[in-house]
Amino acid sequence: MEVVFGGKVEHLRPFLLEERIVDGWVPWNKKRYGITMGAFNVASFKIALRTRKVAPTAPAAAAAPISPVDAK
């Protein structure tokens, strides 16, 4: 999404929430071949490097097994 919308939240919000493209929207990428897989992978890698992993704080829910006898 960052590669396609160039980080413009005002264009990204209607695309994700309302499932529409903003009137007059033009892709910010004006390169000859557009967004190549290489450019997409480089952008994804940069995002992955800036992302930090946080351990989950909520304990895992202990699901009780449901037997066919309990379902009746």
Side-chain angles (χ1 to χ4, degrees):
M1 294 294 168
E2 181 195 353
V3 175
V4 175
F5 288 95
K8 294 184 178 182
V9 178
E10 62 271 6
H11 290 170
L12 188 59
R13 189 175 310 275
F15 182 76
L16 293 174
L17 297 178
E18 302 169 14
E19 297 179 355
R20 68 179 180 89
I21 296 177
V22 178
D23 293 334
W25 179 79
V26 179
W28 69 275
N29 187 338
K30 305 289 186 191
K31 293 182 181 177
R32 180 176 183 179
Y33 295 109
I35 300 170
T36 62
M37 288 303 293
F40 182 76
N41 287 336
V42 168
S44 299
F45 185 68
K46 288 179 181 178
I47 292 170
L49 288 177
R50 293 183 297 196
T51 305
R52 84 184 144 101
K53 295 183 173 142
V54 178
T57 56
I66 299 175
S67 65
V69 176
D70 296 335
K72 291 182 182 179

